[in-house]
Amino acid sequence: MGVRYLVCPEVGWNAGGIAGLKHARSCARAFPGLYALHRCHASSANALLAEQYQSFIPIELKIKIIDLFAGPGGLGEGFASYRGGSIFSIAASAEMEASAHSTLKLRAFYRLARGDRKALDAYYSYCNQEGAPHPSVVHEGAWKAACDEALQLQLGNREDNQFLDVALGRKKLSPDSTVLIGGPPCQAYSLVGRARNRGKKDYVPEKDARHYLYQQYLRIVHKYEPAVFVMENVKGILTSQVGGKRVFHEILRDLSDPGRAIGQGGGARYRIHSLVEPVHFEPGQEPEDFDSAKFVIRAERYGVPQARHRVILLGVRADIPITDAVLLEPSPALNIEDVIGDLPRVRSRLSKGDTAHAWRDAVLMEASGLIGAARGLADEALEPVLKQMQLSRDHLLATESFGALRYSPRLAPVPAVPSSFWNWMHDPRLEVVMNHEARGHMQSDLRRYFYAAAYAKAMGVAPKGHQQFQLPGLAPSHANWESGKFQDRFRVQVQGRPSTTITSHIAKDGHYFIHYDAEQCRSLTVREAARLQTFPDNYFFMGNRTQQYHQVGNAVPSFLAHQIAGVVHRILPN
């Protein structure tokens, strides 16, 4: 006979008997509906905790999440994984792009599989073994459920809007236990995007549909009246204008009173809270009187190893009282090497004629040329860089491997990061590092990457512009290279600090995302970028490598989303 154990998402497992019953009663008072008794042997209790306790919690007791413009699912992951999946569940997620939808669907399968050992084994087999059957073949039931959750839809399209409404109608959502999350596509709002649009001859902001995709978000808010919504976007949204009006001011008005905004009147109204300042925007308030900058979250202050500054709005339905603070709690900063330093070292590749020997010969030649040029300059200010280039050349990575979709070498010793972050990232069931494959580079760029990484190591800052890329062969063939507009054309992710913002530009080239280790002479891999975006290591990105980069660059850091989920749970404790 087995021994009766209490399986509890808060404290793990405890033996039965009087002590167990006392714990059960206290747990029931603190977390009604979130505990269960299960007959098992002690040796399997931890496995039950990790893989099965979600199945003990009736789905109707969880807060339902609607995830719009989901991308690969970073925001949804933070909510769905909160307290081991015992509080929130994804009712539906919607994404238009095919490869991101494939990632989203596979992740949905993983979450649904955690209460089913056969399905979970299928997921890990697919992760760990090239040629393993796809989980959809092994467990059709869980895969069908994942497909019902993760939807490929183009919001704004009438048929797709109707499909989403039908799908949500089947979920029998209750407004008081529904949360809407997501961020409308932000290209038109971003500072870079606006500069690019100004260069288009026929570009008219008023006719850019991307400015109004948030109206689809409004439609769902008005129709389903969720208790809370979370909307994320780029900082450039604060200054973007259409027709002479500030887009963000209109968004505040609309989100606080969505019925009025879509011309239907009535319905729920919302307070729009900052997650980092004790302020909120009230329905009827004038946006001009409100400091919109207070909605900006600096992710590096909240345990994210990345200087990512984004606008995140927390909307709370006006009838819901708030007794506790709705602010995120700051945590110590993490540096880039803290979170990617344990990943296997891999070489980059030559974009043409690549072999391990050809790559090594090319980097050695470029490094030696730079060292000779630096000696010839006899510039005292460059002396530390010269020494670092010599050191990096002499220790140039000797491996033949540039990584793989499933890369098998073991990780280095665990870095000194907070245990909560490491537990979030690490998965002992993984036998490989996924999505860890270096891209190819032109030989001329290898010269620039080697120099830039060595410079950053020696000086503690990344080199900028033509004045610090003064050695021969470093200047790119831009006619206006010396105009001052390309100060960050080649940007090293410097050790000893968080990375710069991971953006979708990483899908185009690696110039803004040069690895700090000159001996590897490359830009970041997808997995390294995913680590900086705080995706767990068992998050498998689908599509080709360019698509994977794009997904990661557009995502919300899932560890930040996990903390936002904690704030939402404090607002909706029951």
Side-chain angles (χ1 to χ4, degrees):
M1 289 290 293
V3 179
R4 189 173 287 274
Y5 279 86
L6 174 73
V7 181
C8 170
E10 291 301 307
V11 300
W13 60 269
N14 283 297
I18 293 176
L21 288 173
K22 287 182 177 179
H23 180 84
R25 290 176 185 137
S26 64
C27 197
R29 287 193 296 270
F31 307 101
L34 300 186
Y35 74 98
L37 293 174
H38 190 89
R39 185 173 294 280
C40 64
H41 290 285
S43 61
S44 62
N46 280 326
L48 278 167
L49 173 65
E51 297 176 11
Q52 293 185 355
Y53 76 74
Q54 287 188 81
S55 64
F56 300 146
I57 304 163
I59 192 71
E60 60 269 17
L61 294 179
K62 297 184 183 182
I63 299 169
K64 308 303 187 301
I65 301 295
I66 305 171
D67 188 3
L68 303 184
F69 311 103
L75 194 51
E77 174 70 12
F79 277 80
S81 61
Y82 180 72
R83 290 192 177 175
S86 63
I87 306 298
F88 301 97
S89 68
I90 306 290
S93 55
E95 170 55 33
M96 176 181 67
E97 199 276 322
S99 65
H101 174 247
S102 294
T103 299
L104 197 64
K105 194 160 48 175
L106 183 62
R107 192 61 181 182
F109 177 90
Y110 167 75
R111 284 194 296 268
L112 293 165
R114 291 176 67 183
D116 186 316
R117 187 174 294 277
K118 177 183 176 183
L120 195 62
D121 287 346
Y123 179 82
Y124 281 108
S125 176
Y126 183 68
C127 291
N128 288 324
Q129 301 171 31
E130 185 175 356
H134 192 273
S136 62
V137 177
V138 180
H139 203 299
E140 294 181 7
W143 186 254
K144 183 182 183 301
C147 293
D148 289 341
E149 174 188 311
L151 309 174
Q152 186 177 6
L153 300 173
Q154 182 175 353
L155 297 180
N157 176 286
R158 180 176 298 179
E159 291 182 358
D160 284 357
N161 288 350
Q162 292 174 346
F163 188 96
L164 177 62
D165 287 338
V166 171
L168 293 176
R170 290 197 296 264
K171 304 294 183 178
K172 299 180 180 179
L173 302 175
S174 166
D176 289 347
S177 57
T178 299
V179 172
L180 174 66
I181 63 175
C186 59
Q187 295 94 326
Y189 297 135
S190 73
L191 299 174
V192 173
R194 280 149 54 195
R196 188 178 297 118
N197 291 333
R198 283 195 297 270
K200 296 178 180 178
K201 182 179 179 181
D202 299 324
Y203 180 74
V204 180
E206 290 79 2
K207 295 182 179 180
D208 191 333
R210 294 174 300 181
H211 274 300
Y212 300 105
L213 282 173
Y214 86 95
Q215 291 180 350
Q216 296 305 317
Y217 197 92
L218 277 176
R219 185 184 74 81
I220 299 297
V221 175
H222 178 66
K223 184 177 180 66
Y224 295 97
E225 299 186 344
V228 173
F229 66 77
V230 178
M231 177 174 162
E232 183 265 356
N233 224 298
V234 292
K235 204 165 70 166
I237 196 175
L238 297 179
T239 53
S240 181
Q241 294 190 18
V242 172
K245 293 182 178 181
R246 285 278 179 90
V247 170
F248 189 66
H249 288 175
E250 297 306 307
I251 288 175
L252 284 179
R253 288 191 181 99
D254 293 348
L255 288 173
S256 64
D257 192 353
R260 178 201 60 80
I262 64 174
Q264 295 187 12
R269 304 173 84 196
Y270 290 83
R271 300 184 303 272
I272 316 299
H273 290 261
S274 166
L275 283 158
V276 293
E277 299 276 359
V279 297
H280 66 270
F281 179 84
E282 291 275 0
Q285 188 176 351
E286 287 300 321
E288 292 81 0
D289 300 332
F290 192 86
D291 184 1
S292 300
K294 293 185 183 296
F295 288 118
V296 176
I297 293 181
R298 289 166 169 77
E300 67 273 23
R301 297 180 181 176
Y302 302 95
V304 176
Q306 178 191 168
R308 189 180 191 89
H309 301 166
R310 290 291 187 264
V311 171
I312 300 184
L313 308 179
L314 179 71
V316 181
R317 212 172 57 217
D319 63 297
I320 296 176
I322 293 182
T323 56
D324 295 327
V326 297
L327 304 181
L328 297 171
E329 297 181 5
S331 55
L334 292 174
N335 298 326
I336 182 171
E337 69 273 19
D338 294 332
V339 295
I340 72 170
D342 66 310
L343 291 171
R345 302 174 81 215
V346 295
R347 68 174 181 88
S348 59
R349 288 187 278 178
L350 290 168
S351 54
K352 294 183 180 179
D354 179 69
T355 66
H357 289 298
W359 175 84
R360 185 173 175 81
D361 289 345
V363 178
L364 286 173
M365 183 178 76
E366 299 299 341
S368 297
L370 287 166
I371 290 167
R375 284 173 176 160
L377 279 181
D379 184 346
E380 188 173 319
L382 271 181
E383 191 63 28
V385 181
L386 172 60
K387 290 181 179 178
Q388 184 58 50
M389 287 195 295
Q390 291 172 322
L391 187 64
S392 296
R393 180 193 62 180
D394 294 344
H395 293 87
L396 189 65
L397 192 63
T399 183
E400 294 189 1
S401 180
F402 47 77
L405 182 64
R406 299 171 178 85
Y407 192 47
S408 58
R410 292 186 176 183
L411 301 175
V414 176
V417 297
S419 58
S420 59
F421 186 87
W422 179 251
N423 291 339
W424 169 265
M425 196 70 60
H426 182 62
D427 186 339
R429 290 198 63 175
L430 283 181
E431 299 168 5
V432 299
V433 180
M434 299 186 294
N435 305 110
H436 189 51
E437 181 180 14
R439 71 204 319 166
H441 300 298
M442 296 188 300
Q443 185 167 331
S444 58
D445 284 336
L446 292 180
R447 182 182 184 92
R448 298 180 183 109
Y449 289 10
F450 180 87
Y451 170 80
Y455 186 104
K457 179 73 171 178
M459 309 299 283
V461 295
K464 289 180 176 287
H466 68 282
Q467 292 179 332
Q468 293 177 339
F469 278 86
Q470 72 271 50
L471 296 180
L474 293 179
S477 56
H478 293 309
N480 53 356
W481 165 243
E482 297 185 7
S483 67
K485 295 180 180 179
F486 295 92
Q487 292 293 302
D488 287 324
R489 183 72 179 104
F490 301 97
R491 181 190 296 160
V492 180
Q493 301 304 314
V494 183
Q495 283 183 280
R497 63 182 68 175
S499 78
T500 58
T501 308
I502 304 298
T503 68
S504 60
H505 183 92
I506 196 172
K508 297 181 178 180
D509 59 54
H511 297 345
Y512 290 174
F513 307 99
I514 301 171
H515 196 288
Y516 55 78
D517 184 3
E519 296 167 23
Q520 298 181 63
C521 196
R522 60 177 176 83
S523 59
L524 299 178
T525 66
V526 171
R527 179 51 52 190
E528 288 164 337
R531 281 272 187 103
L532 296 171
Q533 284 279 59
T534 65
F535 281 99
D537 284 348
N538 58 22
Y539 217 104
F540 205 169
F541 294 92
M542 299 288 99
N544 61 42
R545 192 174 62 242
T546 297
Q547 292 168 329
Q548 294 165 19
Y549 275 124
H550 199 272
Q551 292 170 46
V552 172
N554 275 337
V556 176
S558 55
F559 191 60
L560 178 64
H562 187 262
Q563 296 171 70
I564 295 172
V567 172
V568 172
H569 186 222
R570 291 201 299 272
I571 296 171
L572 305 173
N574 296 320

